[in-house]
């Protein structure tokens, strides 16, 4: 299978000495890759470097074979991004926000805006100013904006932030549908481990800036763990023990 | 090039959707018209023509280039860079298929479009107002007005590049606007006490358009000021982009 995300030796250290160290991972076409880790483990840092919002001290990120540092435009063309909270221009309507985004993709039909608004359940409020949206509505708009260009890879950092139960389920359904019908590849981080278990086929566990476990979900669970939560807690406990021992 | 063109269009539209842009546009149109009406009444009451109709558009341009338009330029630059950084909306465009250089350049170009639009409105307002004053405008005077308002674009564009450079140091538009205005006043004020400052300050050439008027246009002086402004714009654009490019979001 083709690797559409290749990360090699990714390292970044912040002033407080926290950061990420020597991250190596690959995401294959069609994967739904779940990226786990406790708060502050470095998940968002990795994702920000992947989409050019931040720069690594060392290491490489290639998307579709293009280095994001040297060939950013080519690397990001087939990628949709939702990092941390979804941001939008509050003084414009949701639809106008999407129109601005759509202009960056030549040949994208205007009806696609209606499609994505309907898909995320914002078709009735598309004309309202984003300033009047709730946090959950903004998150849906962020997702609509990320999937607008029919990307082949979606990088989603905590996509269910601010969503209620119904919204969370809806996001899961959208992810599953895009993976099934449009063969979209996903790289998702979420603290909702149950949701991730239902969606992901491949997982990576990040702890203290280090990728401590990575592989196909089925292989990692392999009858030893009943749930992803058990695996996660086990890996984190082992890593903590190793750090304490060292 | 598509991404550059698309983002120039987007940045221009974004400013259009802000109420304050329309407010500034209205002010730019209303000030010369209001001033023209007031001046016409005042002059007809005292019977002396202090400002002729042919001088009026130039007088207004002097006022705009030194006072109002720098303010609008500072606000536009602050909104587009430090304001978006503070609102965290800058990452919307940074995660699209467009390089950081093109993002930076497109924001700068859209500021240029707005400067041109402000100057056009100010010119329309001034020319319309000249009708209220005695004498009207001759064809030559209209040509002078066109040349002067056109020439005024360059120093304002350079000022916008400097304002964009300053905006890179702030994460809120209010901070960037305040410091830009204070620095502008300081540089303008210091030239009264230290005249040599004005030689090396791009803000001293906001009245560059006056060099283009009349028969005594000094080609050498126009050229040297042009080269100085060009050098300033290259310098501040380059350093501004360097600061923008190394920012983490």
């Amino acid at each position: 299978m083709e690797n559409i995300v290749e990360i090699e030796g990714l390292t970044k250290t912040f002033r407080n000495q926290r950061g990420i160290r020597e991250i190596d991972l690959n995401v294959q076409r069609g994967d739904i890759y779940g990226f786990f880790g406790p708060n502050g483990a470095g998940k968002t840092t990795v994702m920000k470097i992947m989409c050019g919002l931040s720069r690594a001290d060392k290491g490489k990120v290639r998307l579709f074979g293009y280095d994001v540092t040297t060939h950013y435009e080519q690397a990001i063309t087939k990628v949709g991004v939702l990092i941390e909270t979804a941001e939008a221009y509050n003084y414009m309507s949701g639809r106008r926000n999407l129109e601005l985004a759509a202009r960056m993709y030549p040949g994208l039909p205007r009806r696609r805006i209606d499609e994505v608004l309907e898909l995320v359940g914002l078709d009735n409020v598309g004309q309202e100013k984003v300033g009047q949206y709730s946090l959950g509505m903004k998150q849906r708009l962020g997702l609509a904006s990320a999937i607008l260009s029919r990307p082949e890879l979606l990088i989603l950092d905590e996509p269910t932030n601010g969503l209620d139960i119904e919204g969370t389920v809806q996001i899961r359904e959208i992810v599953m549908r895009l993976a099934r019908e449009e063969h979209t590849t996903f790289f998702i981080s979420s603290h909702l481990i149950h949701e991730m278990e239902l969606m992901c086929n491949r997982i990576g566990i990040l702890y203290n800036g280090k990728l401590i476990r990575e592989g196909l979900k089925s292989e990692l669970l392999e009858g030893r763990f009943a749930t992803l939560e058990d695996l996660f807690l086990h890996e984190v406990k082992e890593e903590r023990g190793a750090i304490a021992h060292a | 090039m598509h991404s550059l063109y698309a983002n120039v269009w987007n940045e221009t539209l974004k400013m259009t959707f802000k109420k304050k842009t329309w407010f500034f546009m209205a002010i730019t149109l209303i000030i010369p018209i209001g001033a023209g009406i007031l001046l016409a009444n005042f002059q007809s009451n005292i019977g002396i023509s202090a400002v002729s109709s042919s001088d009026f558009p130039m007088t207004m341009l002097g006022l705009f280039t030194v006072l109002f338009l720098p303010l609008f330029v500072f606000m536009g630059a602050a909104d587009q860079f430090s304001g978006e950084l503070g609102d965290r909306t800058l990452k919307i465009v940074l995660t699209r298929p467009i390089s950081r250089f093109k993002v930076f350049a497109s924001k700068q170009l859209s500021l240029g479009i707005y400067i041109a639009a402000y100057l056009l409105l100010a010119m329309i307002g001034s020319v319309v107002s000249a009708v209220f004053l005695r004498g009207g405008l001759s064809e030559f005077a209209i040509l002078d007005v066109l040349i002067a308002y056109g020439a005024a674009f360059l120093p304002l564009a350079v000022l916008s590049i400097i304002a964009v450079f300053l905006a890179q140091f702030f994460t809120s538009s209010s901070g960037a606007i305040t410091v830009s205005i204070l620095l502008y006043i300081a540089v303008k004020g210091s030239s009264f006490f230290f005249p040599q400052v004005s030689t090396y300050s791009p803000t001293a050439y906001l009245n560059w358009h006056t060099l283009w008027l009349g028969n005594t246009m000094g080609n050498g002086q126009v050229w040297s000021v042009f080269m100085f402004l060009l050098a300033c714009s290259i310098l501040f654009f380059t350093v501004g982009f360097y600061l923008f490019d190394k920012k983490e979001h």
Side-chain angles (χ1 to χ4, degrees):
Chain A
M1 284 290 272
E2 179 196 2
N3 285 332
I4 62 172
V5 178
E6 296 160 278
I7 298 180
E8 287 171 19
L10 203 66
T11 302
K12 184 176 179 73
T13 311
F14 294 105
R15 279 182 202 158
N16 58 8
Q17 297 306 308
R18 283 166 60 184
I20 51 167
R21 283 171 292 149
E22 298 290 338
I23 307 280
D24 292 298
L25 65 84
N26 293 318
V27 180
Q28 294 181 351
R29 189 177 285 280
D31 275 349
I32 302 180
Y33 192 108
F35 202 41
F36 299 102
N39 289 339
K43 301 185 295 292
T44 301
T45 303
V46 173
M47 292 174 124
K48 280 185 172 180
I49 295 170
M50 284 173 76
C51 59
L53 290 174
S54 186
R55 303 260 160 85
D57 298 338
K58 216 175 80 182
K60 276 192 192 317
V61 175
R62 274 189 294 272
L63 305 178
F64 298 95
Y66 293 104
D67 190 313
V68 290
T69 313
T70 56
H71 294 82
Y72 183 72
E73 281 189 60
Q74 291 96 323
I76 210 80
T77 299
K78 298 179 201 165
V79 182
V81 174
L82 176 59
I83 297 284
E84 292 179 316
T85 49
E87 304 298 344
Y89 305 111
N90 287 336
Y91 50 89
M92 286 185 209
S93 68
R95 168 176 287 278
R96 282 246 192 262
N97 268 277
L98 294 177
E99 282 172 5
L100 292 192
R103 193 165 287 113
M104 303 307 293
Y105 301 93
L108 194 74
R110 283 182 75 84
R111 66 171 184 280
R112 177 67 181 159
I113 293 171
D114 298 307
E115 282 174 22
V116 293
L117 279 172
E118 198 182 331
L119 193 67
V120 299
L122 288 178
D123 43 335
N124 291 329
V125 291
Q127 301 292 354
E128 284 180 25
K129 284 199 174 163
V130 173
Q132 295 165 347
Y133 282 15
S134 67
L135 182 63
M137 286 159 86
K138 280 186 184 172
Q139 199 68 5
R140 285 163 195 253
L141 183 66
L143 185 67
S145 184
I147 62 177
L148 183 69
S149 64
R150 293 187 194 279
E152 292 177 25
L153 168 67
L154 267 167
I155 300 172
L156 306 176
D157 183 19
E158 299 285 356
T160 50
N161 255 352
L163 294 178
D164 52 19
I165 296 169
E166 193 188 358
T168 304
V169 172
Q170 198 181 6
I171 295 284
R172 187 210 313 156
E173 284 171 357
I174 291 170
V175 169
M176 301 298 272
R177 183 174 149 188
L178 289 173
R180 192 176 56 243
E181 293 176 7
E182 299 190 14
H183 309 290
T184 310
T185 306
F186 287 85
F187 189 83
I188 314 177
S189 83
S190 174
H191 63 278
L192 299 177
I193 205 157
H194 174 66
E195 281 301 318
M196 298 289 270
E197 187 162 10
L198 295 172
M199 291 189 287
C200 301
N201 69 316
R202 191 180 288 272
I203 60 165
I205 299 175
L206 197 66
Y207 182 78
N208 206 19
K210 222 173 94 185
L211 193 67
I212 55 173
R213 205 90 159 99
E214 201 230 350
L216 284 171
K217 183 179 75 180
S218 53
E219 288 174 7
L220 292 176
L221 293 177
E222 218 181 22
R224 290 200 299 145
F225 304 100
T227 63
L228 209 51
E229 191 176 85
D230 294 340
L231 168 71
F232 177 77
L233 291 173
H234 174 263
E235 292 297 333
V236 167
K237 196 177 165 187
E238 280 212 336
E239 189 63 21
R240 272 195 192 132
I243 291 170
H245 195 257
Chain B
M1 282 306 280
H2 168 84
S3 55
L4 179 70
Y5 169 78
N7 207 49
V8 169
W9 189 228
N10 277 356
E11 296 296 337
T12 310
L13 279 177
K14 268 158 55 183
M15 282 211 267
T16 313
F17 286 115
K18 288 180 180 167
K19 280 180 189 161
K20 64 178 161 192
T21 305
W22 289 100
F23 176 72
F24 292 152
M25 292 266 176
I27 293 271
T28 308
L29 195 62
I30 289 166
I31 284 174
I33 293 174
I37 293 169
L38 286 174
L39 202 61
N41 275 338
F42 180 68
Q43 290 185 163
S44 68
N45 285 343
I46 61 167
I48 300 168
S49 180
V51 179
S52 72
S53 57
S54 56
D55 291 340
F56 182 74
M58 300 306 167
T59 309
M60 288 313 301
L61 183 57
L63 191 69
F64 271 113
T65 53
V66 172
L67 201 63
F68 293 109
L69 294 185
L71 187 67
F72 299 165
V73 163
F74 294 147
M75 288 189 174
D79 276 357
Q80 285 212 345
F81 288 91
S82 25
E84 287 203 5
L85 193 65
D87 296 343
R88 302 169 65 87
T89 49
L90 201 53
K91 69 178 182 183
I92 296 173
V93 66
L94 292 178
T95 51
R96 297 291 172 194
I98 178 169
S99 67
R100 284 203 184 188
F101 178 78
K102 287 179 185 166
V103 172
F104 185 78
S106 57
K107 282 176 176 283
Q108 197 90 69
L109 285 168
S110 77
L111 270 177
I113 291 171
Y114 269 87
I115 291 169
Y118 282 128
L119 281 169
L120 184 68
L121 282 173
M123 187 178 74
I124 291 169
S126 303
V127 170
V128 168
S129 305
V131 174
F132 297 111
L133 298 165
R134 268 186 230 163
L137 285 174
S138 68
E139 287 163 13
F140 289 113
I142 288 177
L143 186 66
D144 272 352
V145 168
L146 281 172
I147 291 171
Y149 277 77
F153 174 80
L154 181 73
L156 284 167
V158 176
L159 189 69
S160 78
I161 292 171
I162 298 170
V164 166
F165 158 76
L166 286 173
Q168 304 309 316
F169 294 96
F170 299 91
T171 51
S172 77
S173 58
S174 55
I177 292 167
T178 309
V179 169
S180 300
I181 291 172
L182 287 176
L183 273 176
Y184 179 71
I185 293 169
V187 172
K188 277 280 181 194
S190 64
S191 61
F192 286 110
F193 303 103
F194 310 102
Q196 61 272 33
V197 168
S198 60
T199 314
Y200 300 105
S201 162
T203 58
Y205 300 102
L206 287 168
N207 63 350
W208 188 54
H209 60 272
T210 55
L211 295 178
W212 288 75
L213 301 175
N215 299 323
T216 54
M217 180 178 142
N219 285 336
Q221 207 182 348
V222 166
W223 181 248
S224 66
V225 173
F226 173 76
M227 291 308 288
F228 174 72
L229 291 176
L230 185 68
C232 284
S233 58
I234 292 170
L235 181 73
F236 283 104
F237 184 92
T238 308
V239 181
F241 172 65
Y242 170 76
L243 295 170
F244 178 75
D245 188 45
K246 72 173 194 166
K247 272 196 165 68
E248 302 258 317
H249 298 274

